[in-house]
Amino acid sequence: MRIADVAEFYAEAGGGVKTYVDAKLQIGAALGHQVSVIAPGREDRVEERNGGRVFWVRSPPVPGDPRYGLFVRREGVHRALDTIEPDVVEGSSPYGGGWFAASYPAPVRSFIFHQDPVAALAHPFLDAWISRPRLDGLARPLWSYLSRLGGRFDTTVVAGRWLAARLEAFGLPRVTAVPFGIDPAPFLEARSDPELRAEWRARLGLPEGGALLVAVSRHHPEKRLATVIAAVRSLTDVGLVVFGDGPARKSVERAVGGCSRIHLAGYVRDRPSLARALASADGLVHGSAAETFGLVLSEALAAGCPLVAPSEGGAGELVRPEFGETYAAGDAEACADAIRRLLARRGAAKAGAEAIRTQQRTLEAHFHDLFAHYAALLAASRPHC
């Protein structure tokens, strides 16, 4: 098949979406498919990447986060699609890119729903004052908009069963859950590094026996890093290394407030180094309750790292008692209690995480299922003699 992903959230310095799309290019080529990506860029250009092609369409940056862009010209997107002549067009955005993909006359059109916007954007800001059901009720116009957009596609694909159920409840048609996966290789190869642990413990001023935790997260309000940081600050003899960066870095720095037991390590491109850090930690602490799948949590488990995460969303689907603890999203005190519970049984939790390292769903499995779904839709779209 020829597959074109109109990927409005794809960027050179992106996070999970970039990781996912780059893998789609590579695995799609290995499976015999021609995968192309159409993404917002600073200029119009085409490049070969991972066995596929990236069509950059000149677009303005997102206000407040210039790493990303927004599609504003349907002509530029459709010109790239005309060049590709796709069997399947994926719209990976609820904004202009989604509508531009929906309006292109391809045999199969697929709405890739990467994120629940209400859970990601409204809940972190407002759920301390307004109940979740009322917030969702107030967001009915948004769900109506998304249902109209989803109705223009032949399928809506999500990465988690929890999100499929949520979208169906709000009226989106033809929703299919195709759970994501990870590239486990660098994480399966990683082992706990005593020298790295000693280095981080010294940097954080931890005493002998102090716990070393990590967080891997884009700095954005939806990730609720402030909750994780407040939880760690309330504990003694617990240190935290935060990997990642993003538009909310200043607010994350304010949340740290000079606490010597918390270090912001920035964005790390080297996957083996990140894997080694995860394997060397006593646990990964996560804040987001709106993850569609939880790539970071799966990577942590592949590295043998136990989890502390909210009980909702993709994160909540991944955590099990053998290797993790959950807490109410946005509640720093509950997060601190979950950390205490994990550390009280850190040996057993570590053993539980080690036991399932090789059981994480792979990207190959995800894309095999996704392309099989498209093949079935494509076959059904063609007239039969």
Side-chain angles (χ1 to χ4, degrees), residues 340-354:
R340 290 189 191 97
R341 294 195 302 271
L342 184 81
L343 296 179
R345 58 183 187 92
R346 71 177 78 176
K350 187 76 170 177
E354 289 281 350

mmCIF file with all atom_site columns, all heavy atoms in Angstrom, residues 340-354:
data_model
loop_
_atom_site.group_PDB
_atom_site.id
_atom_site.type_symbol
_atom_site.label_atom_id
_atom_site.label_alt_id
_atom_site.label_comp_id
_atom_site.label_asym_id
_atom_site.label_entity_id
_atom_site.label_seq_id
_atom_site.pdbx_PDB_ins_code
_atom_site.Cartn_x
_atom_site.Cartn_y
_atom_site.Cartn_z
_atom_site.occupancy
_atom_site.B_iso_or_equiv
_atom_site.pdbx_formal_charge
_atom_site.auth_seq_id
_atom_site.auth_comp_id
_atom_site.auth_asym_id
_atom_site.auth_atom_id
_atom_site.pdbx_PDB_model_num
ATOM 1   N N   . ARG A 1 340 ? 5.915  6.247  48.367 1.00 0.00 ? 340 ARG A N   1
ATOM 2   C CA  . ARG A 1 340 ? 6.276  5.565  49.626 1.00 0.00 ? 340 ARG A CA  1
ATOM 3   C C   . ARG A 1 340 ? 5.954  4.072  49.547 1.00 0.00 ? 340 ARG A C   1
ATOM 4   O O   . ARG A 1 340 ? 6.752  3.234  49.979 1.00 0.00 ? 340 ARG A O   1
ATOM 5   C CB  . ARG A 1 340 ? 5.523  6.195  50.799 1.00 0.00 ? 340 ARG A CB  1
ATOM 6   C CG  . ARG A 1 340 ? 5.971  7.602  51.182 1.00 0.00 ? 340 ARG A CG  1
ATOM 7   C CD  . ARG A 1 340 ? 5.317  8.024  52.490 1.00 0.00 ? 340 ARG A CD  1
ATOM 8   N NE  . ARG A 1 340 ? 5.514  9.427  52.768 1.00 0.00 ? 340 ARG A NE  1
ATOM 9   C CZ  . ARG A 1 340 ? 4.617  10.378 52.488 1.00 0.00 ? 340 ARG A CZ  1
ATOM 10  N NH1 . ARG A 1 340 ? 3.459  10.044 51.927 1.00 0.00 ? 340 ARG A NH1 1
ATOM 11  N NH2 . ARG A 1 340 ? 4.868  11.630 52.783 1.00 0.00 ? 340 ARG A NH2 1
ATOM 12  N N   . ARG A 1 341 ? 4.766  3.768  49.014 1.00 0.00 ? 341 ARG A N   1
ATOM 13  C CA  . ARG A 1 341 ? 4.375  2.366  48.916 1.00 0.00 ? 341 ARG A CA  1
ATOM 14  C C   . ARG A 1 341 ? 5.321  1.593  48.013 1.00 0.00 ? 341 ARG A C   1
ATOM 15  O O   . ARG A 1 341 ? 5.696  0.457  48.311 1.00 0.00 ? 341 ARG A O   1
ATOM 16  C CB  . ARG A 1 341 ? 2.936  2.251  48.392 1.00 0.00 ? 341 ARG A CB  1
ATOM 17  C CG  . ARG A 1 341 ? 1.870  2.799  49.326 1.00 0.00 ? 341 ARG A CG  1
ATOM 18  C CD  . ARG A 1 341 ? 0.470  2.335  48.922 1.00 0.00 ? 341 ARG A CD  1
ATOM 19  N NE  . ARG A 1 341 ? 0.112  2.707  47.555 1.00 0.00 ? 341 ARG A NE  1
ATOM 20  C CZ  . ARG A 1 341 ? -0.473 3.858  47.227 1.00 0.00 ? 341 ARG A CZ  1
ATOM 21  N NH1 . ARG A 1 341 ? -0.725 4.774  48.161 1.00 0.00 ? 341 ARG A NH1 1
ATOM 22  N NH2 . ARG A 1 341 ? -0.806 4.091  45.967 1.00 0.00 ? 341 ARG A NH2 1
ATOM 23  N N   . LEU A 1 342 ? 5.704  2.195  46.905 1.00 0.00 ? 342 LEU A N   1
ATOM 24  C CA  . LEU A 1 342 ? 6.615  1.515  45.984 1.00 0.00 ? 342 LEU A CA  1
ATOM 25  C C   . LEU A 1 342 ? 7.971  1.293  46.638 1.00 0.00 ? 342 LEU A C   1
ATOM 26  O O   . LEU A 1 342 ? 8.543  0.197  46.562 1.00 0.00 ? 342 LEU A O   1
ATOM 27  C CB  . LEU A 1 342 ? 6.783  2.323  44.699 1.00 0.00 ? 342 LEU A CB  1
ATOM 28  C CG  . LEU A 1 342 ? 7.639  1.638  43.637 1.00 0.00 ? 342 LEU A CG  1
ATOM 29  C CD1 . LEU A 1 342 ? 6.807  0.616  42.874 1.00 0.00 ? 342 LEU A CD1 1
ATOM 30  C CD2 . LEU A 1 342 ? 8.240  2.645  42.667 1.00 0.00 ? 342 LEU A CD2 1
ATOM 31  N N   . LEU A 1 343 ? 8.499  2.338  47.284 1.00 0.00 ? 343 LEU A N   1
ATOM 32  C CA  . LEU A 1 343 ? 9.828  2.230  47.880 1.00 0.00 ? 343 LEU A CA  1
ATOM 33  C C   . LEU A 1 343 ? 9.841  1.273  49.067 1.00 0.00 ? 343 LEU A C   1
ATOM 34  O O   . LEU A 1 343 ? 10.879 0.677  49.371 1.00 0.00 ? 343 LEU A O   1
ATOM 35  C CB  . LEU A 1 343 ? 10.330 3.610  48.294 1.00 0.00 ? 343 LEU A CB  1
ATOM 36  C CG  . LEU A 1 343 ? 10.551 4.601  47.137 1.00 0.00 ? 343 LEU A CG  1
ATOM 37  C CD1 . LEU A 1 343 ? 11.027 5.944  47.672 1.00 0.00 ? 343 LEU A CD1 1
ATOM 38  C CD2 . LEU A 1 343 ? 11.556 4.031  46.133 1.00 0.00 ? 343 LEU A CD2 1
ATOM 39  N N   . ALA A 1 344 ? 8.701  1.108  49.723 1.00 0.00 ? 344 ALA A N   1
ATOM 40  C CA  . ALA A 1 344 ? 8.634  0.167  50.844 1.00 0.00 ? 344 ALA A CA  1
ATOM 41  C C   . ALA A 1 344 ? 8.808  -1.270 50.378 1.00 0.00 ? 344 ALA A C   1
ATOM 42  O O   . ALA A 1 344 ? 9.162  -2.147 51.171 1.00 0.00 ? 344 ALA A O   1
ATOM 43  C CB  . ALA A 1 344 ? 7.305  0.334  51.582 1.00 0.00 ? 344 ALA A CB  1
ATOM 44  N N   . ARG A 1 345 ? 8.561  -1.502 49.094 1.00 0.00 ? 345 ARG A N   1
ATOM 45  C CA  . ARG A 1 345 ? 8.739  -2.851 48.540 1.00 0.00 ? 345 ARG A CA  1
ATOM 46  C C   . ARG A 1 345 ? 9.560  -2.782 47.248 1.00 0.00 ? 345 ARG A C   1
ATOM 47  O O   . ARG A 1 345 ? 9.278  -3.488 46.288 1.00 0.00 ? 345 ARG A O   1
ATOM 48  C CB  . ARG A 1 345 ? 7.376  -3.488 48.268 1.00 0.00 ? 345 ARG A CB  1
ATOM 49  C CG  . ARG A 1 345 ? 6.493  -2.697 47.327 1.00 0.00 ? 345 ARG A CG  1
ATOM 50  C CD  . ARG A 1 345 ? 5.119  -3.344 47.153 1.00 0.00 ? 345 ARG A CD  1
ATOM 51  N NE  . ARG A 1 345 ? 4.324  -2.690 46.138 1.00 0.00 ? 345 ARG A NE  1
ATOM 52  C CZ  . ARG A 1 345 ? 4.290  -3.041 44.845 1.00 0.00 ? 345 ARG A CZ  1
ATOM 53  N NH1 . ARG A 1 345 ? 5.021  -4.053 44.409 1.00 0.00 ? 345 ARG A NH1 1
ATOM 54  N NH2 . ARG A 1 345 ? 3.528  -2.395 43.991 1.00 0.00 ? 345 ARG A NH2 1
ATOM 55  N N   . ARG A 1 346 ? 10.570 -1.938 47.284 1.00 0.00 ? 346 ARG A N   1
ATOM 56  C CA  . ARG A 1 346 ? 11.303 -1.677 46.044 1.00 0.00 ? 346 ARG A CA  1
ATOM 57  C C   . ARG A 1 346 ? 11.943 -2.934 45.461 1.00 0.00 ? 346 ARG A C   1
ATOM 58  O O   . ARG A 1 346 ? 12.031 -3.083 44.242 1.00 0.00 ? 346 ARG A O   1
ATOM 59  C CB  . ARG A 1 346 ? 12.342 -0.572 46.242 1.00 0.00 ? 346 ARG A CB  1
ATOM 60  C CG  . ARG A 1 346 ? 13.550 -0.950 47.084 1.00 0.00 ? 346 ARG A CG  1
ATOM 61  C CD  . ARG A 1 346 ? 14.559 0.197  47.145 1.00 0.00 ? 346 ARG A CD  1
ATOM 62  N NE  . ARG A 1 346 ? 14.144 1.232  48.068 1.00 0.00 ? 346 ARG A NE  1
ATOM 63  C CZ  . ARG A 1 346 ? 14.890 2.312  48.365 1.00 0.00 ? 346 ARG A CZ  1
ATOM 64  N NH1 . ARG A 1 346 ? 16.058 2.489  47.768 1.00 0.00 ? 346 ARG A NH1 1
ATOM 65  N NH2 . ARG A 1 346 ? 14.480 3.194  49.225 1.00 0.00 ? 346 ARG A NH2 1
ATOM 66  N N   . GLY A 1 347 ? 12.404 -3.840 46.329 1.00 0.00 ? 347 GLY A N   1
ATOM 67  C CA  . GLY A 1 347 ? 13.009 -5.067 45.824 1.00 0.00 ? 347 GLY A CA  1
ATOM 68  C C   . GLY A 1 347 ? 12.017 -5.919 45.061 1.00 0.00 ? 347 GLY A C   1
ATOM 69  O O   . GLY A 1 347 ? 12.294 -6.391 43.953 1.00 0.00 ? 347 GLY A O   1
ATOM 70  N N   . ALA A 1 348 ? 10.828 -6.091 45.623 1.00 0.00 ? 348 ALA A N   1
ATOM 71  C CA  . ALA A 1 348 ? 9.804  -6.904 44.973 1.00 0.00 ? 348 ALA A CA  1
ATOM 72  C C   . ALA A 1 348 ? 9.303  -6.221 43.709 1.00 0.00 ? 348 ALA A C   1
ATOM 73  O O   . ALA A 1 348 ? 9.054  -6.879 42.687 1.00 0.00 ? 348 ALA A O   1
ATOM 74  C CB  . ALA A 1 348 ? 8.639  -7.137 45.936 1.00 0.00 ? 348 ALA A CB  1
ATOM 75  N N   . ALA A 1 349 ? 9.146  -4.886 43.763 1.00 0.00 ? 349 ALA A N   1
ATOM 76  C CA  . ALA A 1 349 ? 8.680  -4.158 42.584 1.00 0.00 ? 349 ALA A CA  1
ATOM 77  C C   . ALA A 1 349 ? 9.702  -4.235 41.453 1.00 0.00 ? 349 ALA A C   1
ATOM 78  O O   . ALA A 1 349 ? 9.344  -4.391 40.282 1.00 0.00 ? 349 ALA A O   1
ATOM 79  C CB  . ALA A 1 349 ? 8.396  -2.705 42.943 1.00 0.00 ? 349 ALA A CB  1
ATOM 80  N N   . LYS A 1 350 ? 10.977 -4.129 41.827 1.00 0.00 ? 350 LYS A N   1
ATOM 81  C CA  . LYS A 1 350 ? 12.036 -4.234 40.807 1.00 0.00 ? 350 LYS A CA  1
ATOM 82  C C   . LYS A 1 350 ? 12.018 -5.634 40.182 1.00 0.00 ? 350 LYS A C   1
ATOM 83  O O   . LYS A 1 350 ? 12.141 -5.774 38.955 1.00 0.00 ? 350 LYS A O   1
ATOM 84  C CB  . LYS A 1 350 ? 13.394 -3.960 41.451 1.00 0.00 ? 350 LYS A CB  1
ATOM 85  C CG  . LYS A 1 350 ? 14.561 -3.867 40.474 1.00 0.00 ? 350 LYS A CG  1
ATOM 86  C CD  . LYS A 1 350 ? 14.558 -2.560 39.728 1.00 0.00 ? 350 LYS A CD  1
ATOM 87  C CE  . LYS A 1 350 ? 15.835 -2.364 38.932 1.00 0.00 ? 350 LYS A CE  1
ATOM 88  N NZ  . LYS A 1 350 ? 15.806 -1.113 38.129 1.00 0.00 ? 350 LYS A NZ  1
ATOM 89  N N   . ALA A 1 351 ? 11.846 -6.644 41.016 1.00 0.00 ? 351 ALA A N   1
ATOM 90  C CA  . ALA A 1 351 ? 11.786 -8.016 40.500 1.00 0.00 ? 351 ALA A CA  1
ATOM 91  C C   . ALA A 1 351 ? 10.574 -8.196 39.588 1.00 0.00 ? 351 ALA A C   1
ATOM 92  O O   . ALA A 1 351 ? 10.646 -8.872 38.558 1.00 0.00 ? 351 ALA A O   1
ATOM 93  C CB  . ALA A 1 351 ? 11.731 -9.013 41.655 1.00 0.00 ? 351 ALA A CB  1
ATOM 94  N N   . GLY A 1 352 ? 9.443  -7.559 39.953 1.00 0.00 ? 352 GLY A N   1
ATOM 95  C CA  . GLY A 1 352 ? 8.254  -7.647 39.131 1.00 0.00 ? 352 GLY A CA  1
ATOM 96  C C   . GLY A 1 352 ? 8.458  -7.000 37.774 1.00 0.00 ? 352 GLY A C   1
ATOM 97  O O   . GLY A 1 352 ? 8.013  -7.526 36.744 1.00 0.00 ? 352 GLY A O   1
ATOM 98  N N   . ALA A 1 353 ? 9.146  -5.846 37.758 1.00 0.00 ? 353 ALA A N   1
ATOM 99  C CA  . ALA A 1 353 ? 9.426  -5.176 36.493 1.00 0.00 ? 353 ALA A CA  1
ATOM 100 C C   . ALA A 1 353 ? 10.402 -5.985 35.651 1.00 0.00 ? 353 ALA A C   1
ATOM 101 O O   . ALA A 1 353 ? 10.256 -6.094 34.429 1.00 0.00 ? 353 ALA A O   1
ATOM 102 C CB  . ALA A 1 353 ? 9.971  -3.772 36.757 1.00 0.00 ? 353 ALA A CB  1
ATOM 103 N N   . GLU A 1 354 ? 11.407 -6.560 36.296 1.00 0.00 ? 354 GLU A N   1
ATOM 104 C CA  . GLU A 1 354 ? 12.383 -7.381 35.568 1.00 0.00 ? 354 GLU A CA  1
ATOM 105 C C   . GLU A 1 354 ? 11.702 -8.591 34.919 1.00 0.00 ? 354 GLU A C   1
ATOM 106 O O   . GLU A 1 354 ? 12.072 -9.012 33.817 1.00 0.00 ? 354 GLU A O   1
ATOM 107 C CB  . GLU A 1 354 ? 13.475 -7.865 36.523 1.00 0.00 ? 354 GLU A CB  1
ATOM 108 C CG  . GLU A 1 354 ? 14.443 -6.776 36.997 1.00 0.00 ? 354 GLU A CG  1
ATOM 109 C CD  . GLU A 1 354 ? 15.488 -6.442 35.954 1.00 0.00 ? 354 GLU A CD  1
ATOM 110 O OE1 . GLU A 1 354 ? 15.587 -7.175 34.951 1.00 0.00 ? 354 GLU A OE1 1
ATOM 111 O OE2 . GLU A 1 354 ? 16.196 -5.437 36.128 1.00 0.00 ? 354 GLU A OE2 1
#
